[in-house]
Amino acid sequence: MERTEIIRWLRERNPGRLAELWAAADRVRHDHVGDQIYLRGLVEVSSYCRRNCAYCGIRAGNFRVERFRLTADEVLDCAARVADFGCGTVVLQGGEDPKLTVDLVASLVRRIKTEFGLAVTLSFGERPLADFHVLRAAGADRYLLRFETSNPEVYARLHPPHIAGELPRRELLRELHAAGFEVGSGSMIGLPGTSYDDVANDLLDFRELDLDMIGVGPYIPHPETPLGSHPRPLPPNEQVPNDWLTTCTVVALTRLFCPATNIPATTALATLRPDGRELGFRCGANVWMPNFTPPRYRASYEIYPGKAAPTHAELRLHDISEILARLGRTLGRGPGPSPHYLTRSVTANTRASCSECPTSSVATPSIS
Ligand code: SAH
């Protein structure tokens, strides 16, 4: 698909036309990753963060957010609940908290792997390169690090470096690959200052960066952040909206561009609409990340407003199975790595391309 066609799809608002695109993505999802939906139990480990991202509610400069850090025992209790619930993976996420030392995280990973046999995904932002290798050696399977936007000027403005000379996130993604992780990234849709061209570049980058997991969610303004109070959008015809419709289109295009990857139906999409999660699953997503953070801490991990509202996190496995049945899908058991990663990792120590993911032409319904 040419860039101009991507942009036309991103600008499309006609529900009938979009339904065709979403259906095409759903077919590709079925063919490449199947009908299972995999559960990843999310545990928010710390709301302390040294970084000052202009979009994020737990940025260091927000003095109104309560800070918490789970103890090792609390993390292990959460992991036990994740395993009991039937998830094959636990995702440990947090701010860039200096007290979450590499040794502490590595020991948590080792204990979770030994005691519960779960796949472990880490999402602790930017860390020294050496940490990635230590964490991988401790048994961590996956690492999530969104590059947030492919527009370098917007990225630099919204995601200022913590110390001079830091590697940009896209470089860190290459290091994560080299360390042997299954690598996840993604972007926010509708960040003020981002154009349709930028989102087209995000999509092209997902493929170029050879990602295994791709999360895209709408940007949701947080009033206690600089971006929430001073958004600086482009003129209306150029600014990409941060709405559910555009997000679903990006999810669908992501599936068409990167067919064998794992794509979550994000909580941010579910925050915009009560049926947001189901919409995500209908247009290409195959992963669900229910929240297992202890309820008393949940409101404090407020990266955007509304996130802490009761969601499907409180559902029982039975309820989730019912939702999946309604969608004609089944519950994935076990760790559920992406076929993209499995194909990539058979050629040891090389970044071989995934034979399932096309490098040039993408078959889609024509928009012209
Ligand atoms: N410290 C980790 C985890 C951050 S939270 C890291 O930086 O990777 C995970 C993701 O939430 C971020 O990567 C970002 O894409 C998303 N996020 C942050 N603020 C948001 C907002 N206001 N609206 C929507 N998504 C947001």
Side-chain angles (χ1 to χ4, degrees), residues 49 51 53 55-58 93-96 123-126 143-148 159 169 186-188 191 215 217-222 225 227 268 301 303-305:
C49 191
R51 201 166 274 279
C53 303
Y55 45 82
C56 183
I58 63 166
Q93 190 181 79
E96 291 185 19
S123 173
F124 290 119
E126 293 159 54
Y143 204 98
L144 297 177
L145 187 74
R146 288 187 178 180
F147 62 74
E148 316 296 7
H159 189 93
R169 284 190 167 205
S187 57
M188 281 177 277
L191 278 172
Y219 159 65
I220 302 177
H222 190 302
T225 60
L227 195 65
Y301 196 82
I303 52 183
Y304 50 82

Side-chain angles (χ1 to χ4, degrees), residues 259-324:
T261 56
N262 279 340
I263 300 178
T266 56
T267 303
L269 181 56
T271 303
L272 291 192
R273 282 176 64 115
D275 61 349
R277 187 98 50 190
E278 293 192 32
L279 280 173
F281 288 131
R282 287 185 198 282
C283 60
N286 69 325
V287 165
W288 187 334
M289 295 170 72
N291 193 325
F292 285 83
T293 308
R296 65 184 175 286
Y297 298 122
R298 249 180 237 175
S300 311
Y301 196 82
E302 195 194 49
I303 52 183
Y304 50 82
K307 181 182 161 295
T311 62
H312 296 315
E314 280 74 30
L315 292 177
R316 290 167 301 132
L317 194 54
H318 174 72
D319 302 321
I320 289 190
S321 303
E322 264 181 19
I323 293 173
L324 302 192

Side-chain angles (χ1 to χ4, degrees), residues 90-363:
V90 64
V91 180
L92 304 182
Q93 190 181 79
E96 291 185 19
D97 177 354
K99 295 221 168 136
L100 287 181
T101 60
V102 66
D103 291 342
L104 176 64
V105 179
S107 106
L108 285 171
V109 171
R110 274 192 293 269
R111 289 187 62 186
I112 290 173
K113 302 284 299 180
T114 320
E115 292 175 33
F116 309 109
L118 293 166
V120 178
T121 302
L122 300 177
S123 173
F124 290 119
E126 293 159 54
R127 304 193 66 110
L129 298 186
D131 286 13
F132 293 146
H133 292 273
V134 172
L135 295 170
R136 177 75 183 135
D141 301 272
R142 311 182 183 131
Y143 204 98
L144 297 177
L145 187 74
R146 288 187 178 180
F147 62 74
E148 316 296 7
T149 171
S150 55
N151 179 319
E153 187 269 321
V154 175
Y155 180 80
R157 182 157 47 82
L158 302 188
H159 189 93
H162 177 65
I163 41 170
E166 275 178 347
L167 287 178
R169 284 190 167 205
R170 41 207 320 115
E171 290 303 318
L172 294 181
L173 291 169
R174 296 191 196 286
E175 294 294 334
L176 287 164
H177 262 299
F181 281 101
E182 186 171 357
V183 179
S185 189
S187 57
M188 281 177 277
I189 307 306
L191 278 172
T194 52
S195 66
Y196 291 92
D197 215 32
D198 293 330
V199 179
N201 286 335
D202 291 354
L203 285 156
L204 295 166
D205 282 356
F206 293 159
R207 203 162 59 188
E208 149 70 20
L209 289 165
D210 207 8
L211 300 175
D212 304 303
M213 310 174 282
I214 304 165
V216 286
Y219 159 65
I220 302 177
H222 190 302
E224 299 295 336
T225 60
L227 195 65
S229 43
H230 298 98
R232 292 172 62 183
L234 298 172
N237 192 38
E238 291 170 42
Q239 171 66 48
V240 169
N242 57 339
D243 59 12
W244 66 269
L245 196 80
T246 314
T247 305
C248 286
T249 300
V250 178
V251 171
L253 290 169
T254 302
R255 173 59 70 199
L256 293 167
F257 268 70
C258 306
T261 56
N262 279 340
I263 300 178
T266 56
T267 303
L269 181 56
T271 303
L272 291 192
R273 282 176 64 115
D275 61 349
R277 187 98 50 190
E278 293 192 32
L279 280 173
F281 288 131
R282 287 185 198 282
C283 60
N286 69 325
V287 165
W288 187 334
M289 295 170 72
N291 193 325
F292 285 83
T293 308
R296 65 184 175 286
Y297 298 122
R298 249 180 237 175
S300 311
Y301 196 82
E302 195 194 49
I303 52 183
Y304 50 82
K307 181 182 161 295
T311 62
H312 296 315
E314 280 74 30
L315 292 177
R316 290 167 301 132
L317 194 54
H318 174 72
D319 302 321
I320 289 190
S321 303
E322 264 181 19
I323 293 173
L324 302 192
R326 207 162 62 225
L327 289 164
R329 313 278 278 274
T330 55
L331 193 64
R333 296 284 178 182
S338 71
H340 182 91
Y341 175 72
L342 294 176
T343 313
R344 192 163 71 67
S345 54
V346 287
T347 319
N349 301 325
T350 65
R351 289 184 56 229
S353 292
C354 171
S355 54
E356 299 217 34
C357 291
T359 49
S360 54
S361 66
V362 179

